[in-house]
């Protein structure tokens, strides 16, 4: 039988990954902890409180923002990390507005279904269409920021892991 010498493997790994290399990688890597919290760039922590309440905090424990979506929270962290503060603020605004539009959509669709008069149905239908147009526009803008932040993150990781 083959015995695995764990200490020998540890020593080899230590030689392969020096502390400074690990520190460089921590700066660009996203980890998922055992409790489901994500640690990003050795600076941010993302915890999902429930389906639509995702909280971003810093290493010191201070909560920074709450988000409606995990993707938006990660996107914000990337943008904040690379110093794109205006875009990061825009992601916060869009995330917040998107969550309120979701509420409006559910209210207006319920009112539309309950309405008896044709003119009431038309009013709620118009509001519902407006809500859906807003949702689409905001979702598309957020998707662009999410894709950009992903690309920036890939580029940064490539630069760090080459050294």
């Amino acid at each position: 039988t083959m015995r695995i010498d764990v200490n020998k493997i540890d020593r080899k790994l230590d030689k392969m990954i020096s502390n400074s290399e690990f520190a460089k990688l921590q700066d660009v890597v996203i980890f998922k902890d055992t409790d489901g919290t994500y640690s990003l760039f050795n600076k941010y922590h993302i915890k999902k409180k429930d389906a639509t309440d995702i909280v971003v905090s810093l290493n010191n424990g201070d909560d920074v923002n709450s988000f409606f979506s995990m993707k938006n929270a990660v996107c914000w962290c990337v943008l904040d990390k690379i110093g794109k503060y205006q875009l990061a603020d825009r992601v916060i605004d869009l995330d917040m507005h998107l969550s309120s539009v979701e509420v409006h959509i559910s209210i207006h669709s319920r009112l539309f279904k309950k309405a008896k008069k044709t003119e009431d149905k038309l009013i709620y239908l118009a509001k519902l269409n407006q809500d859906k147009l807003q949702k689409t526009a905001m979702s598309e803008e957020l998707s662009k920021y999410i894709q950009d932040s992903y690309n920036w993150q890939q580029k940064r990781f490539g630069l760090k892991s080459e050294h």
Side-chain angles (χ1 to χ4, degrees):
T1 61
M2 192 171 119
R3 281 187 16 104
I4 297 172
D5 185 349
V6 177
N7 291 332
K8 188 176 177 182
I9 291 172
D10 273 350
R11 284 191 303 276
K12 283 187 177 183
L13 281 174
D14 283 345
K15 285 179 189 170
M16 287 170 46
I17 304 172
S18 69
N19 285 342
S20 65
E21 284 296 309
F22 186 68
K24 282 181 199 168
L25 283 177
Q26 267 188 317
D27 195 40
V28 293
V29 174
I30 298 171
F31 296 101
K32 185 174 184 182
D33 299 330
T34 51
D35 67 353
T37 302
Y38 289 88
S39 297
L40 293 83
F41 321 128
N42 209 20
K43 181 177 181 180
Y44 311 95
H45 299 281
I46 300 177
K47 187 156 186 77
K48 192 173 190 169
K49 302 253 175 150
D50 62 51
T52 58
D53 186 19
I54 292 98
V55 177
V56 175
S57 59
L58 298 174
N59 275 347
N60 65 8
D62 290 348
D63 286 354
V64 185
N65 282 302
S66 287
F67 290 88
F68 182 65
S69 136
M70 181 64 82
K71 280 184 178 179
N72 298 345
V74 171
C75 179
W76 180 87
C77 291
V78 173
L79 293 172
D80 187 71
K81 173 70 178 166
I82 63 175
K84 303 270 184 192
Y85 303 117
Q86 283 182 312
L87 291 181
D89 287 346
R90 183 69 181 143
V91 168
I92 292 170
D93 289 346
L94 288 169
D95 181 83
M96 203 168 39
H97 284 84
L98 205 50
S99 66
S100 70
V101 165
E102 291 282 353
V103 171
H104 289 158
I105 287 173
S106 74
I107 291 170
H108 291 143
S109 58
R110 207 169 34 251
L111 291 171
F112 173 76
K113 287 174 187 163
K114 286 183 178 179
K116 303 283 186 242
K117 294 188 225 161
T118 305
E119 57 265 24
D120 289 344
K121 280 201 176 285
L122 289 173
I123 289 169
Y124 294 128
L125 188 61
K127 288 184 180 208
L128 201 51
N129 283 332
Q130 182 61 37
D131 295 338
K132 288 181 179 177
L133 285 172
Q134 284 181 339
K135 180 182 175 181
T136 301
M138 288 187 280
S139 296
E140 286 172 359
E141 188 178 345
L142 271 168
S143 289
K144 182 190 177 313
Y145 297 141
I146 289 167
Q147 188 58 52
D148 287 349
S149 70
Y150 174 79
N151 292 339
W152 285 319
Q153 180 54 20
Q154 291 298 102
K155 207 180 296 178
R156 290 193 56 192
F157 183 76
L159 291 173
K160 292 277 183 173
S161 59
E162 284 172 12
H163 301 294

